[in-house]
Amino acid sequence: MTSPPRTVDGFVRQFLENLNLVRGVPLSASSDNDRYQALAHTVRDYLMARWLEDLRRQREAQGKGVCYLSAEYLLGRQLDNNLLATGLTEIATEAMASCGIDIDELRGHEVEPGLGNGGLGRLAACFIDSLATMGVPNIGYGIRYEYGIFRQTFVDGQQVEQPDAWLALGSPWEFPHPEAAQTVSFGGHTETYDDAGVTRTRWVPGWNVQALPYNYMVPGYHNGRVNTLRLWSARATDAFDLRIFNSGDYAEAVRAQTFAENISKVLYPEDSTPQGKELRLQQQYFFVAASIKDFLDTVLPKDFDLTRLPERVIFQLNDTHPVIGVPELMRVLVDERGLEWDAAWDITRECFAYTCHTLLPEALEEWPVDLLGRLLPRHLEIIYRINDDFLDEVRARYGDDEMRIRNMSIIAEHPERSVRMAYLATVAGAKVNGVAELHSQLLREKVLPAFNEFFPGKFTNVTNGVTPRRFVRLANPELSELITSALGTGWLTDLERLRELEVYAEDPDFRTAFGEIKADNKRRLSAVLAARDGVEVSDGHMLDVMVKRLHEYKRQMLKLLHIVTQYEAIISGKVAAADVQPRTFIFGAKAAPGYAMAKRIIHLINAVGQVVNNDPRVEGRLKVIFPPNYNVTLAERVIPAADLSEQISLAGKEASGTGNMKFALNGALTIGTDDGANVEIRELVGDDNFFLFGMSEPEVEALWARGYKPAEFYQRDPQLRSAIDLIASGAFSGGDRSVFEPVVSNLLYDDRFMVLADYATYIGAQAKVDAAYADQDAWTRSAILNVARCGFFSSDRSMRDYIDRIWHTPPVL
Ligand SMILES: *Cc1c(COP(=O)(O)O)cnc(C)c1O
């Protein structure tokens, strides 16, 4: 097939045809949604020939590919990215203009698919972008949630969740393939039978659902390549339906349908805190079983010799969510394909690799044996056997060291008998990686030390990255143009070339241009916020930004204490408002709906903003803005405008962070702790261009060991005491002291994330930020050096590291 001509006329013709043939309307009677959909279809048409060509090329090459298994993909809007990848942005803009349509207007009509919670889902989206751009064969497998991450609104400053009906107006980017549906089974029991003298096991499931694949194009940047993202949607099986329909129980049939379709109905809005809910395990098994079957049955050639499976695929496990794939592949190989256990295990161990994304022990998934055995009885048997064999090996190595056996067992006995999914992944995975140097080190030394000792060479690191196409080129077009004017093209796919900008940091004209772009980006953001929420970024303010999921370990409270400290100093007369560096603080954060403390903190941020923004004594020098519903679209607007990036988690808690990378690449300076990838950012940009504060991870450990009493910090530090007292006094809750009492007592008597212990050094570092910002030219120089030295954080580099250290998948040329 051929693509439409790459001319304005060709584009217009295709667009008008799509309006007529796909939407069934003439231009004169078309709605904005019609026009957006027709435009999206037109871009699709240009990608189609390449996609089909790539599918053919990959089928013929018979090379090794990556199946990325992820329960989340936080994709962001597709239109702009796909226009960029195909180089059609200008043609499309002109074509729309010639039809009397403002393309910017249409952009606003795309609802972003919010099929992820935060960093983990966004990482998956960056990775598939990079693989396509590098020409590496990849299928991203996941779930097509009917409702993605909730839409956040505020009512009286408190978070209210609205359902995210992202499919309501239709998604022009998806291709349903009901003919390629897979059946996924649940429940029932297992039985053994005699197969020509060999005793085998079969699973007799209790019920099935259909998994329908929806394909999405994943275009590479300017390379004519298109990979596939395949997301599964759940439907009731016909057989299931029919039996009940024939029994005449219509209501029961509808109930069964609903039951099945619930599996892909909604994304769990938990981030860094798994919910041990049955439906969630159903979701996990549903997409993993469908994906493995899809790969074996439809991607591999017929009669493929499965002992050679490791030559064709690596299943990368994005966190523990898809780990049930390990016993699933074993079941398919042993029960369905008749392989011997040991042969199947050798294959399985080569075909999986596991990425751990956390250091919080409570975030490591465990499934109660009762639940798992009820839902997936055969898988539980297989897990037990894997564990028995593994513990035999441990015994063979160390003798009957019962303590060690208990610590390394995939089955935990307390508080209830459950399967430790991270251990299962570690035992089965060819490699286990952390997501930043510090995280990988802590993983080896603190989280899984016994496994690191037992499996030398299994643990490795791949520091996260972000795609520069979306987070530099699309988010910051002016900066991209400035960089291109200095370096020429090519840097977007070879981001280390940003190093060449270092000399420009010394060029006053370049600094001026860079500073003007930052100012433009602030104005652009201000216009977006004005239209969206009726608030503006004040002129001449430093833009101080903390956007990420709301979690206590990320310490939004610490940022808030800084704001309250400044406010208190002004109203108590310790500081004249005129002497305060004007700052606009931007927060963006969703709280998991069941996370009460996180929701209280959101309420408090809004309450502080309400008071600070309206107190005339502040003279407008401090301003707190909390636009609701932080998502990828908003990130693309906020980050390029930021002067200061807040990365202030307690050391040893943030695995990597990727927001930190997006900011640095857009010329924001970081104030941060020695945590996650902050460590690597600081090493690269240099201490002079980074505001470090707070305890290091060993210092955190030492303080816990000594005994941490947050109230002592409160007693000792008058500034801290004033800030906390002001919150406790009801100053931000209309005099009602009870509203934020739980937040205050949590800080004073619990403070698991040591906000009070790091407060003093944080305030000190913020004073240094103020002093540095006073010299705009020097600040801009630092900002340029941040951009120049952060090319390492391209997700293209992450992909190269995965390929070299874990996957060994060459590009298909
Ligand atoms: C990058 C990104 C994140 C991750 O941010 P962190 O600061 O690394 O936690 C979360 N949400 C969105 C929308 C993002 O774009």
Side-chain angles (χ1 to χ4, degrees):
M1 88 167 269
T2 55
S3 297
R6 295 176 63 86
T7 60
V8 173
D9 279 353
F11 197 99
V12 168
R13 258 198 311 281
Q14 193 76 12
F15 169 74
L16 293 175
E17 193 170 302
N18 280 330
L19 258 185
N20 295 164
L21 301 185
V22 178
R23 303 300 301 174
V25 290
L27 180 59
S28 58
S30 59
S31 67
D32 281 345
N33 184 48
D34 288 326
R35 293 168 178 200
Y36 162 70
Q37 300 270 345
L39 172 58
H41 271 269
T42 306
V43 179
R44 247 173 62 159
D45 294 342
Y46 282 88
L47 282 165
M48 188 56 72
R50 299 170 173 196
W51 199 19
L52 299 178
E53 168 64 12
D54 239 5
L55 291 171
R56 184 196 59 76
R57 183 160 33 196
Q58 294 182 14
R59 227 182 352 259
E60 282 176 9
Q62 306 249 328
K64 184 172 178 183
V66 183
C67 287
Y68 200 76
L69 298 178
S70 179
E72 301 189 9
Y73 291 89
L74 192 54
L75 296 169
R77 286 182 176 164
Q78 299 298 292
L79 175 62
D80 261 353
N81 186 61
N82 294 354
L83 282 171
L84 176 68
T86 45
L88 284 167
T89 308
E90 280 171 16
I91 287 176
T93 306
E94 275 184 51
M96 290 303 99
S98 79
C99 296
I101 297 169
D102 177 1
I103 196 171
D104 278 337
E105 179 74 30
L106 293 193
R107 282 191 176 100
H109 282 268
E110 178 169 359
V111 186
E112 79 166 69
L115 309 183
N117 273 286
L120 175 144
R122 184 54 237 176
L123 186 76
C126 286
F127 283 2
I128 60 177
D129 177 89
S130 283
L131 287 170
T133 295
M134 296 162 72
V136 176
N138 162 247
I139 305 174
Y141 281 113
I143 302 173
R144 178 182 175 272
Y145 301 104
E146 201 176 320
Y147 295 88
I149 184 69
F150 63 84
R151 200 162 53 78
Q152 179 192 54
T153 59
F154 296 138
V155 175
D156 298 331
Q158 302 193 59
Q159 172 173 299
V160 173
E161 301 94 21
Q162 311 279 356
D164 165 49
W166 71 286
L167 291 165
L169 294 178
S171 166
W173 303 108
E174 63 182 21
F175 295 80
H177 282 280
E179 77 291 345
Q182 298 287 354
T183 302
V184 178
S185 303
F186 293 94
H189 62 276
T190 64
E191 58 193 31
T192 53
Y193 65 100
D194 181 87
D195 177 21
V198 183
T199 305
R200 296 196 169 279
T201 306
R202 75 177 146 228
W203 174 22
V204 185
W207 49 283
N208 300 320
V209 298
Q210 291 283 103
L212 266 55
Y214 285 72
N215 290 343
Y216 299 74
M217 296 165 161
V218 184
Y221 174 76
H222 288 191
N223 67 347
R225 306 300 288 269
V226 185
N227 277 339
T228 301
L229 171 65
R230 184 163 299 153
L231 303 181
W232 299 97
S233 180
R235 296 281 180 283
T237 55
D238 292 346
F240 207 89
D241 272 4
L242 235 106
R243 201 179 43 193
I244 301 165
F245 261 110
N246 290 343
S247 77
D249 192 343
Y250 178 76
E252 174 57 18
V254 172
R255 199 198 61 77
Q257 195 122 17
T258 308
F259 178 77
E261 291 176 6
N262 263 343
I263 291 179
S264 57
K265 186 67 75 181
V266 58
L267 169 77
Y268 274 87
E270 262 71 36
D271 190 63
S272 298
T273 41
Q275 282 278 309
K277 295 271 170 63
E278 179 162 349
L279 182 62
R280 193 173 167 113
L281 181 57
Q282 286 177 14
Q283 288 185 338
Q284 295 179 352
Y285 180 65
F286 165 78
F287 97 86
V288 168
S291 303
I292 289 176
K293 230 183 231 159
D294 181 70
F295 186 83
L296 298 182
D297 293 354
T298 70
V299 180
L300 289 180
K302 291 254 170 299
D303 308 319
F304 182 81
D305 171 10
L306 286 174
T307 60
R308 301 181 60 184
L309 191 61
E311 296 168 26
R312 291 301 307 275
V313 69
I314 181 88
F315 293 107
Q316 186 66 36
L317 303 166
N318 194 27
D319 215 86
T320 50
H321 317 142
V323 171
I324 196 68
V326 168
E328 170 64 4
L329 182 62
M330 285 299 288
R331 185 190 68 81
V332 170
L333 294 177
V334 173
D335 294 357
E336 295 186 352
R337 305 293 181 103
L339 270 69
E340 293 301 321
W341 177 275
D342 289 348
W345 182 236
D346 286 343
I347 294 167
T348 299
R349 277 187 315 173
E350 278 192 82
C351 285
F352 285 97
Y354 162 53
T355 305
C356 178
H357 282 273
T358 187
L359 284 162
L360 305 174
E362 70 268 28
L364 292 172
E365 278 186 304
E366 293 187 5
W367 287 109
V369 159
D370 280 350
L371 193 166
L372 209 150
R374 190 159 24 88
L375 203 60
L376 300 166
R378 179 56 180 146
H379 297 76
L380 182 60
E381 289 175 4
I382 291 170
I383 291 167
Y384 273 131
R385 168 128 186 227
I386 291 172
N387 194 39
D388 287 347
D389 292 354
F390 169 61
L391 293 181
D392 282 347
E393 284 179 51
V394 175
R395 280 195 192 88
R397 179 95 56 96
Y398 299 105
D400 278 339
D401 178 349
E402 271 317 305
M403 191 63 173
R404 184 183 293 265
I405 300 289
R406 225 173 314 144
N407 282 337
M408 294 183 78
S409 175
I410 294 169
I411 308 294
E413 299 296 339
H414 298 286
E416 64 184 317
R417 189 164 246 254
S418 53
V419 181
R420 296 161 161 160
M421 301 308 273
Y423 289 15
L424 178 57
T426 301
V427 170
K431 294 281 178 181
V432 176
N433 76 286
V435 289
E437 289 291 349
L438 175 67
H439 174 234
S440 295
Q441 179 206 327
L442 294 172
L443 205 55
R444 285 191 303 265
E445 294 173 3
K446 300 258 162 80
V447 185
L448 301 165
F451 291 90
N452 182 45
E453 186 186 318
F454 191 79
F455 295 116
K458 183 175 281 211
F459 287 75
T460 185
N461 172 252
V462 179
T463 299
N464 283 166
V466 299
T467 171
R469 271 74 65 185
R470 182 176 291 271
F471 288 108
V472 181
R473 177 62 188 79
L474 286 179
N476 205 336
E478 284 191 55
L479 177 62
S480 301
E481 217 169 286
L482 180 68
I483 296 171
T484 301
S485 75
L487 310 186
T489 56
W491 57 273
L492 265 176
T493 49
D494 183 7
L495 208 63
E496 288 283 5
R497 283 199 53 208
L498 291 178
R499 279 271 169 198
E500 298 164 31
L501 286 177
E502 281 197 24
V503 291
Y504 290 89
E506 313 308 329
D507 174 346
D509 291 341
F510 192 87
R511 285 201 297 268
T512 303
F514 191 98
E516 281 170 3
I517 289 168
K518 190 57 87 180
D520 278 350
N521 288 340
K522 285 190 202 178
R523 280 190 287 273
R524 243 183 358 137
L525 172 64
S526 191
V528 167
L529 294 179
R532 190 182 184 273
D533 310 307
V535 289
E536 284 178 35
V537 178
S538 301
D539 278 344
H541 277 215
M542 178 203 305
L543 199 64
D544 176 343
V545 183
M546 184 162 190
V547 287
K548 48 184 74 250
R549 281 300 286 258
L550 202 309
H551 207 293
E552 287 165 280
Y553 84 79
K554 291 175 181 278
R555 300 200 296 191
Q556 278 91 354
M557 260 320 290
L558 184 55
K559 174 74 262 171
L560 197 56
L561 283 177
H562 169 234
I563 298 170
V564 173
T565 297
Q566 288 207 306
Y567 174 65
E568 196 278 334
I570 294 172
I571 62 171
S572 67
K574 285 183 217 119
V575 175
D579 292 336
V580 172
Q581 162 65 47
R583 289 202 202 199
T584 293
F585 305 93
I586 294 189
F587 287 90
K590 290 179 184 177
Y595 187 174
M597 186 55 72
K599 290 180 136 181
R600 283 191 201 104
I601 293 169
I602 285 180
H603 188 192
L604 181 55
I605 296 169
N606 279 321
V608 168
Q610 189 66 29
V611 169
V612 170
N613 297 353
N614 295 300
D615 189 330
R617 292 172 290 182
V618 176
E619 296 172 15
R621 299 182 79 87
L622 302 176
K623 186 165 182 180
V624 181
I625 303 181
F626 193 163
N629 202 42
Y630 178 58
N631 60 8
V632 178
T633 306
L634 187 59
E636 289 171 27
R637 297 281 170 267
V638 171
I639 292 170
D643 295 305
L644 187 65
S645 161
E646 299 275 351
Q647 307 299 337
I648 60 179
S649 52
L650 176 63
K653 296 298 174 192
E654 187 74 88
S656 163
T658 49
N660 48 4
M661 302 167 185
K662 299 169 196 165
F663 280 100
L665 282 167
N666 280 280
L669 273 59
T670 304
I671 182 165
T673 47
D674 231 347
D675 200 16
N678 294 355
V679 177
E680 288 153 82
I681 293 176
R682 186 169 63 88
E683 276 170 8
L684 282 164
V685 305
D687 283 313
D688 295 344
N689 305 300
F690 187 107
F691 300 95
L692 175 70
F693 77 97
M695 294 176 288
S696 65
E697 192 276 334
E699 287 167 345
V700 168
E701 286 302 309
L703 181 52
W704 283 126
R706 282 202 304 280
Y708 174 51
K709 299 195 186 63
E712 287 177 3
F713 286 85
Y714 167 83
Q715 291 300 343
R716 270 204 304 265
D717 183 340
Q719 211 178 12
L720 172 60
R721 202 162 59 229
S722 306
I724 291 184
D725 286 351
L726 192 62
I727 298 170
S729 74
F732 305 111
S733 41
D736 183 346
R737 305 167 66 100
S738 69
V739 178
F740 297 117
E741 190 280 329
V743 179
V744 170
S745 38
N746 182 264
L747 279 180
L748 290 180
Y749 306 113
D750 191 7
D751 196 19
R752 284 180 60 214
F753 300 102
M754 296 183 154
V755 171
L756 301 201
D758 273 346
Y759 169 85
T761 59
Y762 181 57
I763 298 296
Q766 287 288 7
K768 287 189 197 152
V769 169
D770 280 339
Y773 196 74
D775 184 347
Q776 275 294 294
D777 201 40
W779 181 279
T780 300
R781 182 178 168 278
S782 269
I784 296 168
L785 289 176
N786 265 265
V787 177
R789 294 173 179 172
C790 282
F792 176 77
F793 297 107
S794 169
S795 46
D796 300 348
R797 189 271 315 149
S798 302
M799 292 297 86
R800 267 194 305 280
D801 287 349
Y802 274 94
I803 291 166
D804 292 346
R805 298 171 193 173
I806 302 175
W807 297 340
H808 313 295
T809 48
V812 169
L813 301 174

